[in-house]
Amino acid sequence: MSKCKEPHLADPVITEEDSLLVRNPILRSLYQGLAVLCIILGIIGALLPLMPTTVFLLMAVWLSVRSSPKLNDWLLGHPKFGPVLKEYLHDRALSPKIGYRALAVLWLGIGVSAWLVPQVILKVLLGLTALAVSSYLLILMRRYQKH
C-alpha cells in the first residue's frame, strides 16, 4: 500500500478567487463594507462631473474579490462597468480611453478640492494622493498598450 495520498473526488477544488478571500471575519466585513462604499462613490462619480468613477470601482473590485464573491460577481456582471473591471482583473491593464478620462476627472476634482481647502497641508496631501493614483493609472495604461 502506498503512503502517498491520492486526491479524492469529493475534495474541494481551491480556485484563485477562494485563495484571495480574507479569512478573518472582522477584516472580511470591513473589506466588504469598504467595497460597498466604493461602489456607491463610483456610481455617484458616474453621475457627477467632478467625481471619479474608475478609481472607486477598481478599489471596489480589489476589495470585493477579497471579501464577497457574490458582490464581486455582481460587479463583474454589470453591463456598464463589468467589461472594464474584467479587463483590469485579467490583465491588470486599463484602456487609455478610460485611463485618460479617469485622470482628467481625478485632477479636476483634486484641483477644485485643493482650491476650496484653506489648509496648506491638506492641499499637499490632495496633491500627493493625486500623484499616487495618477502613477498607478499610467502604469495600467502602459500595460494595456503592450498587448
Side-chain angles (χ1 to χ4, degrees):
M1 187 180 244
S2 169
K3 288 185 179 183
C4 109
K5 182 181 176 189
E6 301 242 349
H8 189 271
L9 292 178
D11 289 343
V13 176
I14 304 293
T15 63
E16 182 181 357
E17 282 184 354
D18 290 336
S19 69
L20 291 175
L21 281 176
V22 174
R23 300 291 177 220
N24 180 324
I26 295 171
L27 190 56
R28 191 170 176 175
S29 294
L30 177 67
Y31 276 18
Q32 190 172 3
L34 289 172
V36 170
L37 177 64
C38 287
I39 291 169
I40 291 168
L41 291 172
I43 291 170
I44 291 171
L47 302 173
L48 295 178
L50 291 179
M51 185 92 167
T53 301
T54 307
V55 174
F56 287 118
L57 292 179
L58 292 178
M59 288 190 301
V61 166
W62 189 91
L63 290 161
S64 67
V65 80
R66 287 159 175 76
S67 64
S68 173
K70 191 175 183 178
L71 184 60
N72 190 260
D73 289 344
W74 179 83
L75 263 174
L76 296 178
H78 191 277
K80 176 99 173 138
F81 306 122
V84 174
L85 297 173
K86 284 179 188 174
E87 182 177 48
Y88 167 74
L89 284 177
H90 183 263
D91 300 328
R92 291 290 191 257
L94 191 64
S95 76
K97 178 182 175 184
I98 301 287
Y100 287 128
R101 190 178 305 158
L103 284 169
V105 172
L106 170 75
W107 281 99
L108 185 61
I110 292 287
V112 169
S113 298
W115 182 64
L116 293 173
V117 171
Q119 294 88 0
V120 174
I121 187 70
L122 291 178
K123 292 177 190 243
V124 170
L125 287 174
L126 284 169
L128 291 174
T129 301
L131 285 173
V133 172
S134 297
S135 298
Y136 185 62
L137 290 174
L138 289 169
I139 288 168
L140 293 177
M141 287 188 292
R142 188 173 307 127
R143 288 181 187 164
Y144 183 88
Q145 294 170 350
K146 290 183 180 178
H147 284 57

